[in-house]
Amino acid sequence: MSVFGIERSRSLWHLILAPTIWAIHFCVTYGMTAIWCERAPAAPGDLRLWILIVTAVALAMIFGVAWRAWRQWDYTDDYDYEHDGPTIEDRREFLGHAGFLLAVVSVIGVIYVALPAAFVGSCG
């Protein structure tokens, strides 16, 4: 498996992909809210729907990244938490482990970014 022609065990793209999706979700959600509240501050109902859609897409993408990172980590094969050896397998498993944990943090971040839409009554 490769991205941009780079082997997964040597690429850091897979490590930063979930936090990047979280950052893009943050920018899109808050940008969309700022524009919406400037144009129609009294009716945030449709905005909530759009935030829900953007959040669902971001979470689906992050879950996909987490699943690939989980498979790369290959924890259930040997139940090994230590990846400190100078081998390609240890490097691959370490990047999978770190990518999976970053995906978990990114899921939490996306949910917290979307939470205000559930509680705020209006823009004003």
Side-chain angles (χ1 to χ4, degrees), residues 83-106:
H83 314 293
D84 56 356
T87 64
I88 291 175
E89 179 185 3
D90 281 341
R91 186 179 306 117
R92 180 184 59 80
E93 289 182 357
F94 171 76
L95 288 175
H97 188 179
F100 179 76
L101 294 177
L102 282 170
V104 169
V105 169
S106 297

Side-chain angles (χ1 to χ4, degrees), residues 24-39:
I24 291 169
H25 173 265
F26 179 86
C27 292
V28 167
T29 302
Y30 278 84
M32 191 169 49
T33 303
I35 292 169
W36 193 282
C37 286
E38 181 66 29
R39 292 186 178 180

Side-chain angles (χ1 to χ4, degrees), residues 65-85:
V65 170
W67 175 249
R68 290 188 68 176
W70 175 264
R71 287 181 43 211
Q72 182 177 341
W73 180 15
D74 202 19
Y75 174 70
T76 56
D77 182 39
D78 54 6
Y79 298 100
D80 183 18
Y81 278 113
E82 297 180 15
H83 314 293
D84 56 356

